[in-house]
Amino acid sequence: MHARFVTSTLTGSARVIKAGHPRVTSLAFTAPVRKFFHTSPWTLSVNAPEAVNTAPTHSSSNPPMAFPCVDHLEQRTQKFLQSFDGGPEPSYSNPVSGYSLYQHNEPFLLDHGGILPKFEIAYESWGELNEDKSNVILLHTGLSASSHAKSHPANTAPGWWEKFIGPGLAIDTNRFHVICTNVIGGCYGSTGPSSIDPKDNKPYATRFPIVTIFDMVRAQFEMLNSMGIKKLHASVGASMGGMQSLAAALLFKERVGKIVSISAAARSHPYSIALRFTQRQVLMADPNWNKGFYYDKVPPHSGMKLAREIATISYRSGPEWEQRFGRKRSQPTTTPSLCADFLIETYLDHQGERFCLQYDPNSLLYVSKAMDMFDLSAFNSAETNLRRARNSLRLQEGKGSSAPENAATPPEEQVAACSTTVSPEEQKKKELDTPKAQLSDLKEGMSSLKDIPALILGIQSDILFPVWQQKEVADCLREVGNKNVTYYELDSMYGHDAFLLEIVNVGSAVKGHLELKE
C-alpha cells in the first residue's frame, strides 16, 4: 500500500511530523521562503506516490508560480505507466521503415574487448549498381541519423539528405549507386543496446559492448563483402559520418577511391568531448534511466530531452539565433515564466520534445562515446591493432569473448603484435605529451591516406567541430604527400548543421569532387 503525503509546519528549527507515518528520506520545500531560518511558515511536502494538493496552507505575499513544463514531463511519465497495460511502446522502438537488413551470423569482435554473437545492419540504397560494381558511394551518417537519407518507394518520407541525393544532384543517382547504413550501436534497425541479446532473448541494454567508429566501419565492410563490392567510388560523410569516411580509408585504403569528410575531425578534441559528456551525464541522472535497464519501464525521457537541448546549442550558431530569435519572448504581454519563455527557449524545448522519444537513450550514450574515442593517430592505431590481435587470440584459445580484428589478419601477424612488450608503449605515451608531438603522431597515422583524393569541408560558424579541425585534417594529408586534397571553408551562419542546410554550397563541392576524373 502506498503512503500518503504528510504535510506539517516548521517554525524556526523545530520539525514536527505526525507519528505513525512511514519514515521518509526525501523532503521538498514548496512554499515561498522569505528569510532563511526565520519564523515565516513553510510548507513541507514529503514524497510519496499519491498526488495531493501542494498549495501553501498559509497565506503568502504572492501566489505560487505555474510550471507547465514540469507538469508536462510528469504527464508523459503517467502516460507511459498507463501504456504498459497493453499499450504502445516508445516510438524509438520502431522509428523507421522501408530499409533492408544485412545479417551477419558470425561472432564479431569489437575494439575494446566485447563481442556480438551476430549483428544486423539496416541500409537503404538509391541509383543503379553498374556491372562491375565500381560506382558505389557509401554514405555515412551522423550520430542520430537513420539509413533514410533519401525518399524511395518503400519509404516516401523525406530523408535527412533528401535534396543532396538524386538525378543530377550532389550525389547523382544517374551515375552512382548510393548505400547508407544505420551504424551498429544505433537504434534504427541496426544492432544496438535496444536489440535482443541472443543469449537470453532480452535487450542488451548496458550489457551491450563499447563500440568504436572503427567497429562501425568494419561492420559496414562486412556488409559490402556480402554484396560483392570490392572497392568504393567514394566514402562520404558529415559530422560523425565524416569521421567514418576517414576511418574507412584508413582501414581499407585499397578499397576506397575518394574521401569526402564534412564538418568532422581526425581526432576528437576536448571541447566536443566535454559537450557530449555533459549530455550523457544529464541523461544518466534521470532516475528512469535505471543504469540502462528501462526497456520494459518508463524511459528516461526527461534526461533525453535535456541532452538534446544541450546538443542543439552546439549544432547551430549564435549569429543565426540573433537573426532568427533575438530577445523576443513567445508571449511578451504575459508575466515572465521560469519555463520556456524567450523564443530561443521555446525552440530548444521543441527540439528536445521532438527527439526524446525518437532515439534510444542507450544508443545516444554508446554512439556519442564512440565519437569521443575517435583518433587517427599512429599510436592509437597501433594500440588498437594490438588489442585486436590479443583478443582475437584469446577468443581462438577459448579464454573468453574478448574483442576485435577482422578474420583477414594472418595468425603470424597476430602473434607478432602480441609479442610487443608494455614498456615501449609507455615510453611512447610519454613522448607524446606535447601538442607538437601529438600532431606529428597524427600525421604518421594518416600517412596511408596519401594516395586517396580527399575533399575536406568546414563551416566557419561551427562550434562543435571548428574549422581549424578540418584544416588540421587537410594539412596533415598534404604534409604526408597527398597531392589531391581539396579544402573549403564555407561562410554560413547555420553552424554545424550547415551540412544539412547549405544545399548549393555543400552540394556543389561534393558533386565536383565525386565527378572529377583523376
Side-chain angles (χ1 to χ4, degrees), residues 200-212:
D200 63 3
N201 292 318
K202 296 180 180 179
Y204 279 103
T206 45
R207 300 176 302 166
F208 194 77
I210 288 291
V211 295
T212 67

Side-chain angles (χ1 to χ4, degrees), residues 185-224:
C187 58
Y188 291 156
S190 295
T191 299
S194 59
S195 301
I196 299 300
D197 183 349
K199 294 293 184 182
D200 63 3
N201 292 318
K202 296 180 180 179
Y204 279 103
T206 45
R207 300 176 302 166
F208 194 77
I210 288 291
V211 295
T212 67
I213 299 295
F214 298 106
D215 289 328
M216 297 171 184
V217 170
R218 292 190 302 110
Q220 291 166 348
F221 273 76
E222 292 288 351
M223 180 191 74
L224 295 177

Side-chain angles (χ1 to χ4, degrees), residues 89-103:
E89 291 298 306
S91 59
Y92 60 73
S93 63
N94 212 352
V96 293
S97 61
Y99 55 77
S100 300
L101 273 181
Y102 162 69
Q103 295 182 321

Side-chain angles (χ1 to χ4, degrees), residues 385-397:
N385 288 334
L386 180 59
R387 263 196 321 271
R388 288 173 184 163
R390 285 173 172 167
N391 290 321
S392 183
L393 283 179
R394 285 214 304 270
L395 186 67
Q396 292 172 23
E397 293 168 0

Side-chain angles (χ1 to χ4, degrees), residues 439 443 446 456 467-482 485 487:
L439 182 58
K443 293 175 188 175
M446 297 176 67
I456 312 299
V467 287
W468 65 263
Q469 296 181 15
Q470 290 89 61
K471 193 171 187 303
E472 179 179 75
V473 175
D475 288 346
C476 285
L477 289 173
R478 285 168 176 157
E479 290 182 32
V480 299
N482 193 321
V485 178
Y487 172 68

Side-chain angles (χ1 to χ4, degrees), residues 143 279 308 311-317 464 494-498:
L143 188 157
Q279 294 169 52
R308 186 60 171 188
T312 301
I313 294 170
S314 70
Y315 293 158
R316 305 304 272 262
S317 78
L464 182 60
Y494 294 116
H496 186 66
D497 274 357

